[in-house]
Every structure is written in C-alpha cells, then in structure tokens.
Amino acid sequence: MAEAVRVLIADDQALLRGSFRVLVDSTPGMETVGEAGDGAEAVALARELTPDVVLMDLRMPVMDGIAATREICSDASLAGVRVLALTMFDMDEYVYPALQAGASGFMLKDASPDDLVTGIRVIATGEGVLAPSVTRRVIANFSHQDTAARPAPRLVGLTRREQEVLVLIAKGLSNAEIADHLVISLPTVKTHVSSLLSKLNARDRAQLVIVAYESGIAERGMPPA
C-alpha cells in the first residue's frame, strides 16, 4: 500500500486552514501533518515535519508565502518537499515570484475540491505546472519585470529537440500532448524532460517554464530548421 501524501497547510485564515484540513484528511491516501498561520511558522514546520506538499498561501503576515517558499526550496534538507502556492486571484503579482522562488505550481483558493486534491497529487509526484492557461498568463505578464537586474538563463548544451520540448512545456502541454505534437513516443518525451531538468538544474516542470520565459525561447519560439 502506497504511503499517504503528507500535507502541511500554511494560511493565515484559520477557517480556510480548517477547510483544507477537512478536505485533505477526508481524501484517501492523504493526511494533514501540520498547520501554519504565517510564513515563518510554515518554514519551521516544514523543517520539523518534512511534508510531501506545502499548501502555501502567498499573502501572510510575519513572512509572506514567497519568502517562505524560497526558504523551503533553497534548503537542501527539504529537497523532497514541494510547494503548491495558493492565491485568491489568477493575476496575483505574487504568483510569478513564488514560482521563481521554487514553487512547483499554483492554484486558486476557490478551485473545486476535486481539482485541489488532484493538484496536491500532481505536485507530490513532481509533475508539471498546474492550471497551465492561467499560469502562462501570469508568467507572461511578470516575467519581463526587472529583466535587466537578472541575467537570462543560457540554453547552451540543449539539443534542438530538447529546445522544442522546452517551448511546448512553457505552453502548458502535457507529456502526452508533446508526444502527439512532435510525433514521438511518450517515453522519448519523458527522456527529454529528464534531460532538461538535469541540464538546466531545474527541480520540476514549473522551473522549466521559468527558464523558458526568462531565456526568451518561450516567446520567440524555435527558428526554422
């Protein structure tokens, strides 16, 4: 029997924390291991409990969700912990910085219970960015802010096929959709994704999307062969 997905809930609203706890604990194969009312507490509990997934509210007192996400995702001892950012607004300016900080994806707080449960499971397995159509809008809007202050990631060492796969990941396509688009097998796509994660030192697909936008390849696309 597979081990339950262990979830830490971080939100400054006790009512929402309680609702999320009920949802998680009533879902087979999931359990709540802790609750935090601010970002600093979330970091401390993540280090103490090492959950599989942190449901991270982005707007909290003491330490906001972005700073808390950065602390968790930069801690080598928490390499297996994934952060699922939660926001009330699909154009929240906090979302892109949260993804930059290491969040594996984000969902709206008013998502359906089924969607949230699916999101937790997806994040726990290290798979792609959630709500791709919304995520793409957020990234497209905020990826250009302060671009002069940070160097664009370099894509040196990627094969042309890997670059093609990276562009399609940035567009929100799943592995199966990428396989259909490029007319290649699903195992081949998975191999390319694994290679991209390794070459670009990215922890998951969310970070590949960040690299794709910040390098410019997501918008300029691939040049003719």
Side-chain angles (χ1 to χ4, degrees):
M1 182 177 179
E3 293 185 6
V5 176
R6 304 171 68 252
V7 181
L8 171 62
I9 301 167
D11 197 296
D12 63 332
Q13 297 184 49
L15 184 60
L16 275 176
R17 290 201 308 273
S19 298
F20 290 143
R21 175 184 277 275
V22 169
L23 174 62
V24 170
D25 290 345
S26 64
T27 300
M30 286 188 188
E31 64 175 339
T32 302
V33 295
E35 295 183 27
D38 61 61
E41 188 179 7
V43 173
L45 285 177
R47 287 173 173 152
E48 176 186 345
L49 302 170
T50 58
D52 299 306
V53 175
V54 180
L55 289 184
M56 183 75 77
D57 181 19
L58 294 183
R59 297 173 180 265
M60 292 187 290
V62 183
M63 176 187 288
D64 65 31
I66 297 171
T69 296
R70 186 176 297 109
E71 287 281 332
I72 291 170
C73 295
S74 64
D75 189 332
S77 69
L78 300 178
V81 177
R82 296 287 185 262
V83 174
L84 174 54
L86 298 175
T87 176
M88 291 294 295
F89 313 104
D90 64 359
M91 293 307 292
D92 190 338
E93 69 270 19
Y94 278 34
V95 172
Y96 180 72
L99 291 173
Q100 279 188 307
S104 293
F106 82 95
M107 294 191 71
L108 299 178
K109 286 187 177 182
D110 62 359
S112 72
D114 286 347
D115 284 346
L116 184 57
V117 166
T118 298
I120 293 170
R121 293 194 190 283
V122 170
I123 291 297
T125 64
E127 289 299 320
V129 178
L130 301 176
S133 61
V134 179
T135 301
R136 288 200 305 274
R137 291 207 308 274
V138 173
I139 292 174
N141 273 305
F142 296 106
S143 62
H144 300 298
Q145 295 185 4
D146 300 323
T147 52
R150 60 177 185 264
R154 301 184 66 193
L155 303 181
V156 176
L158 299 189
T159 66
R160 182 178 180 82
R161 181 62 90 189
E162 287 169 348
Q163 292 180 57
E164 290 173 337
V165 170
L166 182 60
V167 169
L168 296 177
I169 288 174
K171 291 181 178 179
L173 273 65
S174 67
N175 284 352
E177 290 169 334
I178 293 172
D180 289 342
H181 184 87
L182 296 178
V183 195
I184 56 179
S185 71
L186 185 57
T188 298
V189 173
K190 291 180 178 179
T191 296
H192 288 315
V193 173
S194 295
S195 180
L196 285 167
L197 291 169
S198 176
K199 289 182 178 181
L200 297 176
N201 194 29
R203 65 187 272 142
D204 51 39
R205 292 171 75 101
Q207 300 307 299
L208 291 180
V209 174
I210 294 289
V211 171
Y213 274 90
E214 292 191 343
S215 68
I217 195 172
E219 293 176 308
R220 68 174 180 267
M222 295 293 296

